[in-house]
Amino acid sequence: MPSVDGSPSMGTGSEAADSALPEEMQPPKPPGQHAVTVLWSFGKFLATLLPVYLAGYFGFSISLVLFGLMVYIGWKHSRNEKVMRLRSAMYLLENERAYTTARAFMSKQELPPWVNFPDVEKVEWMNKILQQAWPFVGQYLEKLLVETIAPAIRASNTHLQTLSFTKVNLGEKAMKVVGVKAHTEHDKRQVLLDLYISYAGDVEINVEIKKYFCKAGVKGIQLHGKLRVILEPLIGDVPLVGAITMFFIRRPKLDINWTGLTNMLDIPGLNAMSDTMIMDAIASYLVLPNRLTIPLVADLHVAQLRSPLPRGVVRIHLLEAEELTAKDTVIKGIIDGKSDPYAVLRVGTQTFTSHTVDSNLNPQWREMFEVIVHEVPGQELEVEVFDKDQNQDDFLGRVKMDLDVVHKARVLDEWLKLKDVTSGSIHLRLEWLSLLSSADRLSEVIQRNRNMTCKTGDPPSAAILSVYLDRAQDLPRKKGNKDPSPMVQLSVQDTTKESRICYLTSDPVWEDAFTFYIQDPRKQELDIHVKDDDRALSLGSLTIPLTRLLASPDLSMDQWFQLDISGRIYINAVLRVLYLNEDASLISPVSPHPPSPGAGHGDGGTTSEVAPREVGGAPKPEPTRPQQTTPDSDFASEGVLRIHLVEASNLIAKDNFIGGMVKGKSDPYVKIRVAGVTFRSHTIKENLNPSWNELYEIILTQLPGQEIQFELFDKDLDQDDFLGRFKLNLREIISTQFTDEWYTLNDVKSGRVHLVMEWLPTVSESARLNQILQYQAQQQYQNKAVPSAAVLFVYLERAHGLPLKKNGKEPKVGAEISLRAMSYKTKVCERSTSPRWDEAFHFLVRDPKEELLIVKLSHSWGQAMGTVVLPLREVLSEQGLVLDRWLNLNGALPESQILLRATLKMLNTQLAVCPSGVSSDTTGEGSEERDHVIHRRDTEPNLRHRSPLSQLRRGDDGGEDVRSRVKPIEILPLSTCVSSLRGGQSPGQVKLQIGYSTEENRLFITVLSCRGLPACGSAKDSSDPYVSFILLPDKNRTTKRKTITKKRDLNPEFNERFDFDFTLEECMQRRLDLTVKNNVSFMSRERELIGKLQLDLDQIDLENGDTQWYDLVEETN
């Protein structure tokens, strides 16, 4: 008879042994135990029928029961699959050698790494050590959870005061290292190991919250991945290694078997979400670029180990693909169709998506992407191609490549065959950009980047900026002497990144690293803003021009920086120039291009183009010379933004004396940033109400999301002090065409800036040129700027018949296009007497009658190859102001020509129509009245300098009103007229969204924002506005609503929606009575009226919804 003694190999006691005996040999169970078993089975049966009974009793729909049953079946199926995966993984680890040699493996992917890769070694001795030490690891984990983590959780929240870990058991299955690969050929000062981790454990951890009778836990975990361990620096003393750094190069695979309340996480839909959240948490600590560093010796610079500089940058040129699979078939696959391919590129956590090429099996993308490489070997480039569909995109193939191949080759131009599909290849050009610690080659790099063209919106980077944010000290406290919860926003141009939040401390330690791409470090700055966790309260700011890094040794700064308010911050900033070694030979070590028809190879030059081929593989015949250019459809679609910086008022005094006891002045200047361009005004000495009167113009494309940033500083000898900032949305300026406003400065106590901005669309008509030139002559600005009259768009396509060099070789031709002091350079084409550029440029033109466009061709910017001089008056004489033809080159062969398009467009300014109305005819007969509304909200009645629009209201000498001699050309809103009679202050505007939902039978009114509100009440430079409204008629005032109050804000954003249960017919009979009020003080109930609006709802298209700005009017008797 078998023994019934408990042992580790036979379960958990005598009960398990008894259950293993045959039924006739088992001892009889006590009567009480048998009765309990019967009752338990009966109870489970009743619990199964209970939901059906309750649904019938309460009259619920049977669909609820079916839905619950579907959720339960899905949960059960998902849980069973997870349990089976866990058991299979455990069994596989226990019988690894048997399965390695068995016929069960049909693919190399299932084999352990030490079988697939000869340089991966088995480490059974390490697994034996882990197995022996595993119980003690469990004891340490239990002590950590019970004595450290549980008390911290209980103290964090009152609802968790009864939380406890009821069971912590790591189980008997220890973590296994299934292979180790050592890299010793790269750096002799470190030991680099790749550990292939596989853990399928029977871990069991249970948590209980007694207050809510809540139990949850984990029973079984799978974790598989490649863990990189770096032992560095190697030192000549015990313990020989200064620190241990660990991280996963790619996200590991994770599978968790939940128990208790967390069983719900196994419901389909929730299981993927929960696993993703956990993986995100792991990735934030242990997946590149994040690292876990354990120092082993004192006085070690841990920051350099935790956040080292990247190994390099790979520039990926996604060129084209061919012979892709047709997925959009017709008549259920009987007729082959096309595909709409796009590509997804991944390197670690960096992901890029190309544009979609419609209906093409041989697409050309011509896009460029840049990725930061932290570790080579190890990191891989993965490219997947998909067919874009309305429901689910179809897979068209993938390719993977270790970036160490690019690192060794430097330049790789290769056709790669797509895997997991029957056909298809993709053409990539990969360039390894080294990191230079010297700025000697910076100008060369920037010039080379200007020669590159690609369809992606981001220009090539000339450098990268690595910022290690360490800590701060002595930050200011919040109101009530409370500790802040500081975080940091770091910005370079339009890219902003945020640090983590350090709660309730004035001396935070972040230890975060950030990396920025830099296009031109000579013109860009690093902006640092320390804020409270609500992002509203500023704790200090700092601006570091990157030119300081260029002047620093080794292009780095590692020091304390003083913040503008109080406190200081420690930052390690390192700039590295991205350099491509052109001397590296173009090699293809991966695989040759597959021998398929239609394949073409790049020439390996500055730009890689593929020779066109026909389907049969024969070259296409050389096409005849085109007679006109073929630019993109969006050519010459840009407009011009004109910014008139008028003045500022009530700025903060920064130049104090005797420790701030005697208030001084400031020396203010303004920085304006838009679309990567920075304008800077001149400095006004010792003036808190400066007047600049400066004009700036920039050509912009109407892209969504663009902002204009204004920052004011006080000029000092050492570091300039911050005086405030504000941002404007370019789309709103484009929609209003013209604004004349005072803007309140943010992040400071007081200050406003007066701006006049105009969006100038371009028109193809020369009739208004004289009128615009006359307007130009009347304008005078402090910065000597002359308003532009037009924009010249130039598209340089190609050249033909260029001369050979003196040594008989074909030239490498580049073109320089210049107009006045502005010039651009094209890319340098490969050796050819008929180069092709396909590049577009634009210039601001002051007087098209007098200016010249000059195009110079040269060999690699040296030997001259010919010149074209084009007077713009020739373009004025062309039909539609467009010149598009071949032009002869001077100083070259008789047959040397370039194909060029020059398009001239006038700037349609609204201010230029004003002088045309001035006439000796006091009645203004014959002059056409303009149907145009100019929005101006001049809230400062006593201006030392007025904009051109303001000068319309009075003579230059302040005497006779010009309106007595000019027929009115501007139709101002009634609110503006009323405000002019009352002292020149406008109540501003309110933005509303009003509509009716036919599905919900509801009227909705959304109060979006206000702008241009006047300062009133007790606040001398601001207001505390809120919006209140009622729908009339309403005797009981049941429709009265109001928004929250925005403190000290003249341009508040509310974004509050209010719903009303009205029929559409009832809505048409209502009238909106809206008021904007100022919350005067906390102790008083008095409200000071800012402005009113009355609007009949029958005048609005409620069914389609209406969103627009409405002018406020002051209350009249």
Side-chain angles (χ1 to χ4, degrees):
M1 181 175 176
S3 172
V4 294
D5 293 338
S7 66
S9 62
M10 296 185 61
T12 57
S14 59
E15 292 83 357
D18 290 339
S19 62
L21 295 175
E23 185 177 355
E24 62 273 5
M25 297 180 64
Q26 290 185 4
K29 296 182 179 180
Q33 183 178 353
H34 181 73
V36 170
T37 304
V38 173
L39 289 176
W40 176 249
S41 301
F42 181 71
K44 289 195 294 183
F45 179 74
L46 286 181
T48 304
L49 296 178
L50 183 61
V52 181
Y53 171 75
L54 291 177
Y57 181 80
F58 290 104
F60 293 149
S61 173
I62 191 64
S63 59
L64 292 177
V65 180
L66 294 177
F67 176 75
L69 184 61
M70 290 174 59
V71 171
Y72 174 77
I73 292 175
W75 169 82
K76 192 70 174 178
H77 179 73
S78 175
R79 185 168 179 80
N80 289 340
E81 281 191 341
K82 188 174 291 186
V83 171
M84 289 302 297
R85 288 197 302 267
L86 184 61
R87 290 178 180 175
S88 300
M90 290 181 182
Y91 188 81
L92 175 62
L93 289 179
E94 291 176 356
N95 302 273
E96 178 183 326
R97 183 167 296 277
Y99 263 67
T100 302
T101 57
R103 297 173 61 89
F105 281 107
M106 300 302 294
S107 68
K108 290 185 177 181
Q109 294 181 353
E110 299 174 348
L111 294 173
W114 58 268
V115 179
N116 271 329
F117 310 102
D119 53 354
V120 177
E121 303 173 4
K122 290 190 65 177
V123 282
E124 285 300 323
W125 59 271
M126 184 181 296
N127 291 327
K128 291 178 181 179
I129 294 175
L130 285 174
Q131 184 67 45
Q132 196 76 7
W134 197 249
F136 301 95
V137 176
Q139 293 177 16
Y140 170 74
L141 180 62
E142 181 178 6
K143 184 178 180 180
L144 179 68
L145 291 174
V146 174
E147 297 182 6
T148 304
I149 297 180
I153 296 175
R154 287 194 290 266
S156 65
N157 196 306
T158 56
H159 298 288
L160 302 178
Q161 291 180 350
T162 58
L163 179 140
S164 63
F165 288 92
T166 59
K167 186 174 184 179
V168 179
N169 181 18
L170 276 186
E172 298 179 358
K173 310 294 183 183
M175 179 181 294
K176 278 197 171 186
V177 181
V178 296
V180 173
K181 181 178 180 179
H183 303 272
T184 57
E185 67 276 9
H186 295 280
D187 193 344
K188 300 300 182 182
R189 296 168 297 177
Q190 65 176 205
V191 177
L192 193 151
L193 303 173
D194 284 339
L195 275 62
Y196 294 86
I197 301 298
S198 183
Y199 177 58
D202 51 350
V203 58
E204 187 172 1
I205 301 176
N206 294 331
V207 182
E208 182 180 5
I209 305 177
K210 296 181 180 179
K211 181 178 179 181
Y212 300 104
F213 304 100
C214 177
K215 294 182 180 181
V218 172
K219 189 174 183 180
I221 294 178
Q222 278 196 79
L223 182 67
H224 307 280
K226 183 168 74 171
L227 180 70
R228 174 155 292 184
V229 179
I230 302 177
L231 309 177
E232 69 170 340
L234 301 179
I235 57 179
D237 200 355
V238 178
L240 301 181
V241 177
I244 301 176
T245 302
M246 296 179 291
F247 53 88
F248 287 99
I249 293 181
R250 290 176 293 275
R251 289 194 175 204
K253 296 179 180 179
L254 178 69
D255 203 354
I256 300 176
N257 190 18
W258 302 101
T259 62
L261 186 64
T262 48
N263 264 328
M264 291 188 298
L265 296 179
D266 282 331
I267 296 176
L270 289 180
N271 54 356
M273 187 185 305
S274 62
D275 290 348
T276 301
M277 292 175 62
I278 295 172
M279 278 309 309
D280 288 341
I282 295 176
S284 65
Y285 288 96
L286 274 177
V287 178
L288 274 179
N290 305 293
R291 303 165 184 246
L292 175 63
T293 301
I294 305 173
L296 302 180
V297 296
D299 301 329
L300 190 68
H301 205 308
V302 182
Q304 294 180 354
L305 300 176
R306 185 177 289 118
S307 303
L309 284 175
R311 298 296 181 94
V313 172
V314 172
R315 185 171 289 157
I316 305 171
H317 297 268
L318 176 65
L319 300 178
E320 58 193 323
E322 67 175 14
E323 294 187 350
L324 299 180
T325 308
K327 290 292 185 178
D328 299 337
T329 56
V330 186
I331 314 178
K332 296 184 178 181
I334 297 177
I335 301 176
D336 288 337
K338 298 285 187 178
S339 289
D340 306 322
Y342 69 94
V344 178
L345 300 89
R346 297 186 186 90
V347 176
T349 58
Q350 305 168 81
T351 303
F352 306 93
T353 304
S354 73
H355 72 279
T356 302
V357 180
D358 295 331
S359 301
N360 199 327
L361 299 182
N362 301 284
Q364 291 195 6
W365 289 290
R366 306 289 175 183
E367 296 191 32
M368 183 272 292
F369 309 96
E370 293 173 334
V371 296
I372 295 175
V373 182
H374 296 276
E375 287 295 325
V376 285
Q379 285 193 277
E380 293 180 338
L381 166 65
E382 180 181 9
V383 182
E384 291 183 316
V385 184
F386 296 93
D387 168 36
K388 186 69 175 178
D389 285 332
Q390 294 182 352
N391 44 20
Q392 183 176 358
D393 297 346
D394 297 319
F395 178 70
L396 296 179
R398 70 165 53 89
V399 65
K400 286 186 179 181
M401 177 188 298
D402 195 315
L403 292 179
D404 191 37
V405 177
V406 187
H407 181 214
K408 295 176 180 177
R410 298 298 174 178
V411 178
L412 188 69
D413 196 328
E414 184 72 12
W415 280 91
L416 302 172
K417 185 173 178 58
L418 295 173
K419 303 290 183 63
D420 303 329
V421 288
T422 56
S423 67
S425 303
I426 191 167
H427 186 190
L428 299 175
R429 177 183 171 90
L430 307 175
E431 301 169 347
W432 180 272
L433 305 179
S434 303
L435 307 184
L436 302 184
S437 58
S438 171
D440 296 340
R441 294 181 178 270
L442 179 60
S443 298
E444 176 187 347
V445 171
I446 294 177
Q447 183 61 51
R448 183 187 303 158
N449 289 347
R450 289 175 180 170
N451 297 335
M452 294 180 59
T453 57
C454 56
K455 292 185 180 180
T456 184
D458 297 328
S461 301
I464 62 169
L465 175 65
S466 179
V467 181
Y468 182 76
L469 178 65
D470 193 349
R471 65 187 66 213
Q473 292 181 353
D474 304 325
L475 295 181
R477 292 177 174 269
K478 297 174 16 179
K479 292 183 179 180
N481 202 27
K482 296 181 180 179
D483 284 327
S485 297
M487 53 80 63
V488 180
Q489 292 179 339
L490 299 96
S491 303
V492 174
Q493 202 164 309
D494 298 329
T495 304
T496 300
K497 300 183 179 182
E498 293 187 352
S499 72
R500 62 187 181 90
I501 300 173
C502 294
Y503 292 96
L504 302 178
T505 177
S506 295
D507 301 315
V509 178
W510 294 286
E511 295 183 343
D512 284 346
F514 308 91
T515 305
F516 298 90
Y517 291 105
I518 306 297
Q519 277 75 45
D520 191 347
R522 300 171 301 184
K523 301 178 182 179
Q524 295 177 274
E525 297 176 334
L526 171 64
D527 294 325
I528 302 171
H529 303 284
V530 185
K531 297 185 178 182
D532 199 24
D533 57 348
D534 59 359
R535 274 81 170 169
L537 176 62
S538 177
L539 303 176
S541 62
L542 169 70
T543 299
I544 303 176
L546 298 188
T547 51
R548 293 182 59 182
L549 283 169
L550 292 175
S552 302
D554 197 32
L555 305 185
S556 63
M557 300 176 66
D558 189 7
Q559 64 186 62
W560 288 97
F561 293 88
Q562 193 69 29
L563 297 173
D564 60 348
I565 298 179
S566 69
R568 57 180 187 165
I569 188 169
Y570 194 89
I571 289 175
N572 180 13
V574 180
L575 188 69
R576 289 293 181 262
V577 178
L578 301 179
Y579 179 70
L580 173 63
N581 185 7
E582 289 185 328
D583 296 334
S585 59
L586 191 67
I587 62 175
S588 301
V590 183
S591 63
H593 179 265
S596 57
H601 291 275
D603 54 13
T606 306
T607 58
S608 178
E609 295 191 5
V610 178
R613 293 177 179 263
E614 293 181 348
V615 179
K620 291 182 179 179
E622 183 71 21
T624 58
R625 285 177 55 189
Q627 297 306 308
Q628 289 186 330
T629 59
T630 55
D632 293 337
S633 58
D634 57 352
F635 174 71
S637 61
E638 293 85 352
V640 174
L641 176 65
R642 182 173 289 167
I643 304 173
H644 182 194
L645 175 63
V646 184
E647 59 187 331
S649 67
N650 200 19
L651 300 181
I652 297 175
K654 287 290 186 178
D655 299 336
N656 300 324
F657 303 97
I658 317 178
M661 298 178 61
V662 178
K663 294 291 185 181
K665 299 285 188 178
S666 289
D667 305 325
Y669 68 91
V670 182
K671 281 187 177 181
I672 306 172
R673 295 187 179 91
V674 53
V677 180
T678 301
F679 301 104
R680 173 170 171 167
S681 72
H682 71 280
T683 303
I684 306 294
K685 296 292 184 180
E686 298 184 358
N687 199 328
L688 300 182
N689 300 283
S691 176
W692 286 286
N693 185 28
E694 297 188 9
L695 184 74
Y696 309 100
E697 293 177 329
I698 183 172
I699 302 174
L700 295 175
T701 304
Q702 299 186 40
L703 297 176
Q706 293 190 90
E707 290 184 332
I708 313 169
Q709 180 177 350
F710 297 83
E711 289 185 312
L712 273 73
F713 296 93
D714 168 38
K715 183 65 177 177
D716 286 333
L717 294 176
D718 48 1
Q719 182 177 346
D720 298 346
D721 297 318
F722 179 69
L723 296 179
R725 67 165 56 88
F726 62 93
K727 292 182 179 180
L728 301 179
N729 192 305
L730 179 61
R731 183 170 292 277
E732 293 188 1
I733 298 175
I734 294 175
S735 62
T736 57
Q737 297 285 306
F738 185 93
T739 60
D740 183 357
E741 296 191 33
W742 284 85
Y743 295 93
T744 303
L745 295 173
N746 300 322
D747 302 328
V748 289
K749 294 181 180 179
S750 66
R752 295 186 298 165
V753 176
H754 183 198
L755 296 174
V756 178
M757 288 184 292
E758 185 178 11
W759 173 256
L760 306 173
T762 56
V763 294
S764 300
E765 56 183 43
S766 59
R768 295 189 54 202
L769 179 59
N770 293 331
Q771 191 178 25
I772 295 175
L773 294 177
Q774 182 183 358
Y775 166 75
Q776 283 182 354
Q778 298 175 355
Q779 308 306 311
Q780 292 184 353
Y781 299 97
Q782 191 70 27
N783 60 345
K784 308 299 182 182
V786 177
S788 300
V791 179
L792 175 66
F793 298 93
V794 179
Y795 182 77
L796 182 60
E797 183 169 299
R798 65 181 74 197
H800 179 74
L802 298 183
L804 298 175
K805 291 177 59 182
K806 294 179 180 180
N807 56 9
K809 293 184 178 180
E810 293 183 332
K812 295 182 178 180
V813 185
E816 182 178 5
I817 303 139
S818 58
L819 181 78
R820 292 198 322 272
M822 180 64 68
S823 65
Y824 297 99
K825 289 184 177 180
T826 67
K827 65 185 178 183
V828 177
C829 292
E830 284 306 301
R831 296 188 182 275
S832 174
T833 57
S834 299
R836 179 163 183 167
W837 296 282
D838 291 318
E839 296 188 38
F841 310 94
H842 43 59
F843 300 88
L844 290 170
V845 181
R846 294 178 181 175
D847 189 352
K849 299 178 180 179
E850 303 293 336
E851 299 189 33
L852 303 174
L853 176 70
I854 302 175
V855 183
K856 296 180 180 179
L857 272 59
S858 61
H859 165 69
S860 298
W861 313 121
Q863 177 184 344
M865 307 296 295
T867 304
V868 170
V869 178
L870 177 64
L872 296 191
R873 60 176 177 269
E874 292 188 14
V875 184
L876 283 173
S877 62
E878 294 287 334
Q879 180 71 24
L881 305 183
V882 176
L883 183 147
D884 190 353
R885 63 171 180 260
W886 289 92
L887 301 175
N888 292 323
L889 280 168
N890 298 322
L893 299 176
E895 64 270 18
S896 299
Q897 291 181 317
I898 61 171
L899 180 58
L900 175 143
R901 170 182 287 198
T903 301
L904 194 63
K905 290 194 174 184
M906 301 297 139
L907 295 180
N908 188 21
T909 174
Q910 301 297 332
L911 297 181
V913 303
C914 301
S916 64
V918 181
S919 173
S920 58
D921 184 5
T922 58
T923 62
E925 295 179 2
S927 60
E928 183 180 356
E929 189 169 341
R930 304 278 179 177
D931 186 15
H932 178 72
V933 178
I934 296 182
H935 302 273
R936 66 178 308 274
R937 293 176 292 282
D938 185 3
T939 59
E940 183 67 49
N942 299 317
L943 301 181
R944 292 179 301 280
H945 173 83
R946 291 185 176 269
S947 65
L949 182 65
S950 306
Q951 296 173 2
L952 291 177
R953 300 191 171 201
R954 53 185 302 170
D956 294 337
D957 57 355
E960 182 185 359
D961 195 337
V962 179
R963 290 172 295 181
S964 63
R965 298 180 288 107
V966 181
K967 184 171 181 66
I969 61 167
E970 53 176 357
I971 304 174
L972 298 178
L974 177 62
S975 59
T976 307
C977 300
V978 174
S979 64
S980 301
L981 295 174
R982 290 177 171 266
Q985 278 196 333
S986 167
Q989 291 181 315
V990 60
K991 189 175 184 180
L992 303 176
Q993 182 183 24
I994 307 175
Y996 187 82
S997 174
T998 55
E999 297 179 356
E1000 301 177 359
N1001 292 326
R1002 284 185 178 181
L1003 170 72
F1004 62 88
I1005 299 176
T1006 304
V1007 182
L1008 298 173
S1009 58
C1010 295
R1011 65 182 182 186
L1013 301 181
C1016 56
S1018 58
K1020 300 299 182 182
D1021 60 346
S1022 187
S1023 298
D1024 300 334
Y1026 69 92
V1027 177
S1028 173
F1029 68 87
I1030 189 173
L1031 296 175
L1032 300 177
D1034 185 4
K1035 297 181 180 180
N1036 299 325
R1037 304 181 69 83
T1038 57
T1039 60
K1040 186 174 183 180
R1041 304 287 190 272
K1042 76 170 187 175
T1043 67
I1044 61 174
T1045 301
K1046 295 291 185 177
K1047 296 292 185 181
R1048 299 179 64 82
D1049 196 347
L1050 297 181
N1051 300 283
E1053 292 187 3
F1054 300 100
N1055 295 322
E1056 295 188 38
R1057 171 170 167 159
F1058 304 92
D1059 293 341
F1060 302 91
D1061 293 327
F1062 292 150
T1063 63
L1064 186 59
E1065 291 75 14
E1066 291 176 330
C1067 295
M1068 295 299 180
Q1069 301 174 2
R1070 297 279 180 164
R1071 181 174 188 175
L1072 175 66
D1073 187 2
L1074 181 143
T1075 57
V1076 180
K1077 299 180 179 180
N1078 175 41
N1079 193 349
V1080 178
S1081 66
F1082 177 74
M1083 300 298 296
S1084 174
R1085 294 188 177 182
E1086 178 185 359
R1087 300 289 188 270
E1088 183 171 356
L1089 180 67
I1090 295 178
K1092 291 178 64 68
L1093 169 68
Q1094 289 190 345
L1095 186 65
D1096 292 326
L1097 298 187
D1098 59 358
Q1099 303 297 320
I1100 299 176
D1101 185 5
L1102 295 178
E1103 295 188 53
N1104 294 324
D1106 182 71
T1107 303
Q1108 67 179 43
W1109 288 96
Y1110 296 93
D1111 293 308
L1112 297 172
V1113 298
E1114 295 183 354
E1115 189 173 27
T1116 56
N1117 294 328

